[in-house]
Amino acid sequence: MTKNTKRIVLAFFVVAIAGIAIFFCAQNKDKASQNQPYLVVLSLDGFRWDYTSSFSLPNLSQMAQEGVSADALIPSFPTKTFPNHYSMATGLYPDNHGIILNNFFNTSLNKQFVAGDPASVGDANFFGGEPIWATAEKQNIRTANYFWVGSEAPTGGVSPSIWKKYDHNMPFTARIDSVINWLQLPDNKRPHLIMWYMHEPDAIGHADGPRGEQTKKTLVYLDSLIGVFRAKLKELPIGEQVNFMVVSDHGMGEIAPERTLYLDELVPRYWLGRCNAESVMMNLSAIDAYKDSLYNRLQKVEHLKVWKKEEVPARLHYGKNPNLVDLVVVADSAWNILGTNDQNQLYSKGAHGYDNQNKDMHGIFYAVGPAFKKGYKQAAFENVNLYPLFAKILGVTPAKVDGTLEPVQGMLVEPAEVKK
């Protein structure tokens, strides 16, 4: 064999070995992709814990039979939309992740955060912690997000691989179609974590109350959409591999105009400094000369709880965030407090924001898929425990959070041993 022939043979073997290596690496990558779990999480804003027992909702009832249902999902305080969606995503209480209300002033940024304002929701400086999609992306798991709070801001410089700017008018059916399409993408582009959001039954709950006829019709429609989604999911080649959760951020309490207090009728406007004022729950400050006057006056108002921020009960995990001002004010159950009388038409029959011990504020948790037991009844649990659950299902190393896996591990087919 000549020297040139040896070189040709050697080159052939090198190319062949490289080809075999590439083939096996591709095979292993495909196998790893196939073994990577799928998790789809749908949030139904304002879906109260007992709606399924109060109304006929067969698709959620079927999920309970085929998988897991919780007695309730306990929101973080305050029981508002933006704080709780971000608590579910990060496993942190609002005090720690920074979204302390739907609307608040951030002193370090010298900016107002306003729910629904594109500039606010897209500014990562408002959002602390590490949402689960960032945790997954950092560990090479593709994610997709459809309107979940925080997904428009590149927290820690990380965004979901696929995300959409919030569009309130996007039909719910179109959202279903997008999620199904994402699950049909090629392996190398397909997300394994999808989180998506629908703004009902919150809006109708405010207008019609938690027991209203229009609320009932909306709940029936939403339940039918869950049936549509699950039917489409079953048609996919990966359908049986997908873990599907339905959760909500908070419940809804029944109120009435005659049980409404108005801040501008309770205290002189000139007493007030910066105020983060929302329905049911407010965070108020006073001009220095009137701090004691404001506190003492509000303490005497019936149907209100008033705490200095440093005296908020420890169980609420609220009061230490630097963007909170002097007083935390919360209406009693079935009562409401608004800034002015002209806001009343927006909150005529239903409200949320109460103490999270109020069961009307509790939300839902349903889950089906290969990670979950069948027909399992889970005790009520705090929503900060969702992040560790998400991480366990996805097989990612979680960030340090307020929540823990221990209260929820029993619902999994193979519960993990909790590290002490």
Side-chain angles (χ1 to χ4, degrees), residues 80-240:
K80 295 285 189 174
T81 296
F82 269 61
N84 276 283
H85 273 95
Y86 204 55
S87 284
M88 289 190 282
T90 62
L92 298 173
Y93 295 114
D95 235 13
N96 295 328
H97 63 54
I99 305 301
I100 54 173
L101 275 169
N102 289 337
N103 307 284
F104 63 93
F105 188 81
N106 185 298
T107 54
S108 62
L109 300 175
N110 197 32
K111 290 181 181 179
Q112 183 77 21
F113 181 90
V114 179
D117 169 45
S120 295
V121 300
D123 188 344
N125 293 305
F126 283 112
F127 296 88
E130 182 176 282
I132 187 63
W133 55 82
T135 302
E137 292 280 351
K138 287 179 179 180
Q139 296 177 51
N140 300 314
I141 295 173
R142 288 178 64 84
T143 69
N145 207 300
Y146 212 135
F147 301 163
W148 200 285
V149 171
S151 62
E152 295 181 42
T155 306
V158 179
S159 293
S161 296
I162 304 169
W163 61 275
K164 291 180 177 287
K165 287 188 176 182
Y166 187 73
D167 180 358
H168 192 79
N169 297 318
M170 182 64 66
F172 293 163
T173 52
R175 303 180 200 194
I176 289 174
D177 289 342
S178 290
V179 173
I180 293 297
N181 286 336
W182 293 341
L183 291 169
Q184 296 180 89
L185 290 171
D187 283 349
N188 62 341
K189 294 184 178 181
R190 187 184 308 147
H192 283 256
L193 169 66
I194 298 174
M195 300 179 76
W196 52 311
Y197 167 83
M198 293 182 182
H199 54 265
E200 293 288 9
D202 181 76
I204 195 64
H206 282 298
D208 197 41
R211 303 299 178 199
E213 188 61 28
Q214 295 305 312
T215 299
K216 175 183 176 180
K217 290 179 180 179
T218 301
L219 291 168
V220 170
Y221 174 60
L222 292 169
D223 184 74
S224 73
L225 291 180
I226 290 170
V228 169
F229 176 74
R230 292 196 68 201
K232 289 178 177 287
L233 190 61
K234 287 178 181 179
E235 294 175 357
L236 301 182
I238 63 165
E240 292 185 355

Side-chain angles (χ1 to χ4, degrees), residues 76-80 83 94-95 100-104 261 263 275-284 304-305 307 309 312 316 318-319 324-325 327-332 335-339 343 347 351-356 361:
S76 299
F77 180 81
T79 53
K80 295 285 189 174
D95 235 13
I100 54 173
L101 275 169
N102 289 337
N103 307 284
F104 63 93
L261 303 168
L263 184 63
C275 299
N276 302 314
E278 301 183 14
S279 67
V280 172
M281 186 272 181
M282 296 181 173
N283 179 219
L284 307 177
L304 283 184
K305 288 186 178 68
W307 299 295
K309 67 176 182 178
V312 174
L316 294 176
Y318 199 72
L324 286 167
V325 292
L327 303 180
V328 175
V329 178
V330 186
D332 288 346
W335 280 78
N336 196 9
I337 181 168
L338 297 170
Q343 291 181 285
Y347 304 98
H352 55 89
Y354 300 102
D355 188 320
N356 64 358
M361 295 298 96

